[in-house]
Amino acid sequence: MRIDLHSHSTASDGTQPPSDVVRRARERGLDVLALTDHDTVAGHRAAIEALPAGLTLVPGMELSCRRGGQSIHLLAYLFDPLEPELAAECARIREAREVRARLTVERLVALGVPVTWEQVAELAAGSPVGRPHIARAMVAAGAIAEPALAFTPEWIGAGGRAHVSRYALDPERAVRLVRAAGGAAVLAHPKAAERGKVVPDEWIGELAAAGLFGVEADHLDHDAAAREHVRGLARDLGLAVTGSSDDHGELTGHRLGCETTSAEVYERLTTTAIGATPVAAQAH
């Protein structure tokens, strides 16, 4: 089995609608795909309705967390999306995301970048506006050559001239919320040094004590040393190890399936998380 447990659609900051993401996943030879848009399950229904034969969808979400001023991403799988406390926190995060985006656009305009809220919202196409949409607007305005250049101290990266912080969950609380909703939580790309998102080992230990299911080791933002370190940490803490593409469509080069998770870990995930079930394509 080929299993990719981290992907994004236009329901958050991917460039393709959920229907295209699942179609492309099957074309890339995947058997299982998790759709994990940021702080939302809005893309699940469209993905399920478009599931091609041979592909199973794992309903998921990537939760925005923060500790000590550092952004941390938590992948949540097979949880009950109607669990009141988790749903309320996701709504709060999404509302804060729009406030942040509007303030970011204002700061960019003040810095001489000719972008407008209307342009950014059009790129989001009805989805919650995120920094990748702003980055694409900056490219269109000629301020930068590619979206990745926006996420630097010069622009909207952490500590950047136009950076705006926003509400996010404490990661330990997020792990407990996911578990209370019947789901399982995996720490996304914990040693992504180039992103400036290196989660200290001590924090990972605390998350494990709070009920963390696993850690994402095989990710393109991890070099060989980082992957080995994460695997060793997982062994010490009794955590599962996952691998995923973190595909965002055009933004990441259409890389679905470039990293995968073992069938053994997938089986463990589906027996641990009971808030929802994987969905297989329906016969037509």
Side-chain angles (χ1 to χ4, degrees):
M1 293 179 70
R2 299 195 67 234
I3 302 161
D4 187 341
L5 294 180
H6 189 170
S7 69
H8 298 272
S9 74
T10 51
S12 66
D13 57 350
T15 62
Q16 291 186 300
S19 57
D20 286 355
V21 174
V22 294
R23 173 189 52 76
R24 189 160 49 87
R26 191 57 186 149
E27 289 175 352
R28 293 294 299 268
L30 288 172
D31 302 292
V32 178
L33 177 74
L35 183 62
T36 53
D37 283 307
H38 292 281
D39 311 306
T40 185
V41 298
H44 290 177
R45 179 179 294 277
I48 291 169
E49 291 175 350
L51 273 178
L55 183 69
T56 294
L57 182 78
V58 173
M61 176 171 62
E62 187 168 9
L63 275 169
S64 300
C65 303
R66 181 175 292 109
R67 172 175 287 184
Q70 180 173 331
S71 175
I72 297 172
H73 290 178
L74 195 73
L75 293 160
Y77 301 110
L78 300 172
F79 55 90
D80 178 2
L82 300 180
E83 196 287 320
E85 191 172 1
L86 178 59
E89 285 294 346
C90 289
R92 184 178 178 186
I93 291 170
R94 291 194 299 270
E95 291 167 4
R97 186 185 297 277
E98 178 166 334
V99 172
R100 174 202 212 185
R102 287 183 180 274
L103 290 174
T104 301
V105 169
E106 291 177 7
R107 292 190 180 185
L108 287 170
V109 170
L111 290 169
V113 180
V115 295
T116 67
W117 175 253
E118 290 73 21
Q119 290 170 329
V120 173
E122 183 177 355
L123 286 169
S127 302
V129 176
R131 288 190 299 167
H133 302 123
I134 296 173
R136 289 164 61 191
M138 292 174 67
V139 172
I144 54 177
E146 58 180 341
L149 297 177
F151 298 92
T152 64
E154 184 177 3
W155 297 114
I156 63 176
R161 296 183 298 164
H163 182 264
V164 177
S165 61
R166 64 179 175 88
Y167 174 73
L169 285 164
D170 176 82
E172 279 191 56
R173 179 162 180 253
V175 168
R176 293 191 174 98
L177 284 174
V178 172
R179 283 175 55 87
V186 169
L187 185 60
H189 41 67
K191 300 297 180 178
E194 290 190 6
R195 292 196 194 189
K197 294 181 179 178
V198 175
V199 181
D201 289 356
E202 180 183 357
W203 291 4
I204 299 175
E206 292 168 359
L207 294 179
L212 186 71
F213 172 80
V215 283
E216 190 179 55
D218 295 323
H219 186 285
L220 288 183
D221 285 350
H222 286 171
D223 60 19
R227 295 180 189 218
E228 185 57 34
H229 181 82
V230 172
R231 288 181 183 279
L233 195 60
R235 284 193 296 270
D236 293 342
L237 297 172
L239 299 173
V241 172
T242 68
S244 313
S245 66
D246 194 2
D247 177 79
H248 287 67
E250 292 177 12
L251 287 178
T252 53
H254 295 292
R255 65 192 194 189
L256 281 173
C258 66
E259 303 285 355
T260 57
T261 296
S262 72
E264 291 77 15
V265 168
Y266 176 63
E267 181 179 4
R268 181 177 165 190
L269 173 67
T270 56
T271 55
T272 299
I274 57 173
T277 56
V279 182
Q282 297 296 310
H284 297 293

